[in-house]
Amino acid sequence: AGAAAEARFISSAKGKGLFATRNIRKGETVFVERPVVSSQFLWNALYNYRACDHCLRALETAEENAQRLLGKSSLVLPHPEQCSIRKDLHQQCPRCQVTYCSAECRQAALEQYHQVLCLGPSRDDPAHPLNKLQEAWRNMHYPPETSSIMLMARMVATIKQAKDKEWWIKAFSQFCSKTANEEEEIVHKLLGDKFKGQLELLRLLFTEALYDEYLSRWFTPEGFRSLFALVGTNGQGIGT
């Protein structure tokens, strides 16, 4: 029957949009794509919602999920054969122990950004620059969460690791961009009334953790605000 929808460029202000190419039946999958970059919400991770560090698939079985959410370790769910979680396929990064749902995800993360972001034995060290950045973000952005500073960290790490850096910069620049005033509004919406001071603190921590000469514009006040607004505009939060 062919694809039910296609992505088309609308305008530089709106970026791309999804258009139906034919009538779509109820319950039909309309469109599937891999995110350019994804990251679990930081409070969500802190509360032990265990998810693949790359694709965000759940790592706990339906029964474990119910036990945790209800606080009942004795709870038994019927029909365990209906649960699709395959623990035998799960893998960890040997250096920092973050968990993936499969060897494929572990490899994909390593090839795209994880070499730069792997904390190794510093995973629980509060003084590590990446941990300081995440802690600052959590203190500014309480649940319900709508974004994560780690999306931007993964963007930087992706370009740092890439052989063809220009290809990635072009991929990120395809997302719709905003005027300085619109950018400010988006940052205000994400961070609240103290956004100017908070944005500057995040920029300093972001620079300490990730600075790269090739991307130096992203680390200036204007460039960082643009990057922040890019994620705020084009990011999509999924709650489970």
Side-chain angles (χ1 to χ4, degrees), residues 20-209:
T21 51
R22 54 175 171 76
N23 289 342
I24 295 166
R25 293 187 304 278
K26 182 180 175 181
E28 188 181 347
T29 300
V30 175
F31 184 72
V32 177
E33 69 172 349
R34 277 207 188 105
V36 181
V37 65
S38 60
S39 184
Q40 188 180 5
F41 288 142
L42 293 181
W43 280 102
N44 188 276
L46 197 68
Y47 285 139
N48 289 325
Y49 283 79
R50 287 171 36 238
C52 174
D53 201 60
H54 183 66
C55 76
L56 310 185
R57 276 190 181 89
L59 295 175
E60 58 186 1
T61 62
E63 185 168 278
E64 286 170 331
N65 183 272
Q67 286 171 348
R68 178 173 54 76
L69 290 173
L70 293 167
K72 281 187 180 175
S73 55
S74 58
L75 182 81
V76 177
L77 285 187
H79 308 298
E81 72 285 350
Q82 296 288 332
C83 182
S84 62
I85 303 298
R86 292 276 311 276
K87 292 204 160 188
D88 53 320
L89 298 179
H90 294 177
Q91 290 202 357
Q92 286 187 317
C93 167
R95 291 192 63 235
C96 71
Q97 274 71 57
V98 297
T99 311
Y100 300 95
C101 67
S102 60
E104 290 76 20
C105 272
R106 184 171 76 87
Q107 196 55 35
L110 195 66
E111 283 170 13
Q112 189 184 328
Y113 55 80
H114 189 67
Q115 290 169 51
V116 169
L117 298 178
C118 181
L119 289 170
S122 304
R123 191 178 170 190
D124 298 318
D125 175 9
H128 189 284
L130 271 170
N131 284 333
K132 278 160 62 177
L133 176 68
Q134 293 182 72
E135 178 64 13
W137 176 259
R138 278 195 299 267
N139 287 330
M140 293 173 193
H141 197 83
Y142 290 96
E145 296 176 274
T146 55
S147 192
S148 170
I149 194 77
M150 293 309 288
L151 282 173
M152 292 156 65
R154 287 188 177 184
M155 288 165 75
V156 169
T158 294
I159 294 170
K160 275 190 173 194
Q161 278 190 217
K163 286 186 182 75
D164 187 351
K165 296 181 192 299
E166 273 310 306
W167 185 90
W168 277 102
I169 286 180
K170 210 169 152 208
F172 289 132
S173 68
Q174 278 176 7
F175 291 103
C176 61
S177 52
K178 302 285 181 191
T179 64
N181 282 349
E182 288 172 316
E183 283 179 355
E184 197 146 298
E185 236 169 81
I186 292 157
V187 177
H188 183 194
K189 201 168 152 190
L190 270 174
L191 294 178
D193 287 336
K194 298 194 196 111
F195 74 94
K196 284 184 175 155
Q198 291 187 332
L199 192 66
E200 184 56 14
L201 172 64
L202 285 172
R203 185 180 74 84
L204 294 172
L205 291 168
F206 195 75
T207 304
E208 187 192 344

